[in-house]
Amino acid sequence: MREPHPVELSGRFVNKGDDRWRDDRWYGRYRLRFPQVSPWPDLHWTFVRVRPGWRSSVEETLSVAATEVPGQKTWPVHLLNQKVHGRDRGFDLGPPEADYLGLEMLSDICYIDMRNLHQLIDLLAPAMEDAHFFVHSWGDGFDRWVDEVRIRDGRSSVARWTVEGESWLDFPAFCAELAGDRTGDDAFGRFVTLLNGQ
């Protein structure tokens, strides 16, 4: 059985002044997909509900991230409100006052250090309702990975599975290994169903 690698957070963002910068295990030119939390299968969107009363905290955290990682022009996380954004963006998930963190690919490909995305999710976790989703890399190299993110009681955890090999030729075997004891795991079911259709 292939084992995941728990992702340990350093507590700070990675930027050009950091000696960890451009570590190929984490930094790359990615197509990221977030097809798991939303109630319909979609390649690019996922929605996590923001706890009532936490909107200002989320806004502050997103502002801090933009300041601390100024070179990161594309963050695949943004704050959405049902009433303000729902109709234009085509989602109808809750009452008009409901806020969501939308995770999506904002461009066809973006350069990002995934440790920064993990760090941002961790900082936002206290404001997020419980969630479980996967981030799928469709990078330019032969290396591929899947990050499994869980938010529970305001805390986040991330585990990474890696797949080596051209074009994920062993993806069915990979899914079978991950399936393990996942009976009833709807997030995993959506993940496998959607990506097996690729």
Side-chain angles (χ1 to χ4, degrees):
M1 170 68 183
R2 188 185 329 240
E3 292 296 326
H5 311 288
V7 175
E8 299 294 333
L9 299 177
S10 69
R12 58 193 173 99
F13 291 105
V14 179
N15 56 42
K16 289 183 180 179
D18 193 309
D19 60 4
R20 299 173 296 160
W21 179 247
R22 292 291 178 105
D23 182 333
D24 289 341
R25 293 171 299 173
W26 302 102
Y27 181 88
R29 181 173 180 257
Y30 302 124
R31 293 174 179 87
L32 302 178
R33 294 177 175 164
F34 305 88
Q36 292 76 42
V37 173
S38 61
W40 62 87
D42 184 280
L43 278 178
H44 305 289
W45 277 94
T46 207
F47 297 93
V48 181
R49 178 84 181 260
V50 174
R51 296 177 191 275
W54 283 79
R55 182 181 178 89
S56 61
S57 175
V58 170
E59 290 172 330
E60 182 179 344
T61 300
L62 293 174
S63 176
V64 166
T67 301
E68 291 197 17
V69 192
Q72 184 61 55
K73 295 187 169 93
T74 305
W75 279 101
V77 180
H78 46 282
L79 181 60
L80 301 171
N81 172 264
Q82 179 65 64
K83 182 177 181 181
V84 176
H85 304 103
R87 179 175 294 173
D88 291 341
R89 298 192 180 234
F91 67 91
D92 184 12
L93 301 175
E97 69 276 8
D99 292 314
Y100 299 89
L101 285 166
L103 291 88
E104 68 167 332
M105 194 69 188
L106 298 177
S107 60
D108 180 46
I109 296 171
C110 74
Y111 291 87
I112 191 170
D113 191 306
M114 287 304 296
R115 292 168 296 186
N116 287 340
L117 180 57
H118 298 153
Q119 182 63 32
L120 180 59
I121 289 171
D122 191 62
L123 290 172
L124 291 168
M128 300 163 74
E129 291 189 353
D130 288 359
H132 175 203
F133 58 95
F134 298 81
V135 184
H136 167 224
S137 161
W138 199 262
D140 284 354
F142 289 154
D143 62 307
R144 303 285 186 263
W145 46 259
V146 172
D147 288 346
E148 183 171 13
V149 181
R150 294 179 188 270
I151 310 294
R152 181 167 295 190
D153 298 327
R155 301 181 63 129
S156 76
S157 63
V158 182
R160 171 167 287 194
W161 280 266
T162 57
V163 175
E164 296 180 1
E166 190 170 353
S167 300
W168 284 59
L169 294 177
D170 67 342
F171 185 71
F174 171 74
C175 287
E177 288 181 25
L178 260 64
D181 186 23
R182 289 178 180 263
T183 304
D185 185 337
D186 292 339
F188 182 74
R190 285 192 295 270
F191 170 69
V192 172
T193 300
L194 188 141
L195 293 183
N196 270 331
Q198 297 300 298

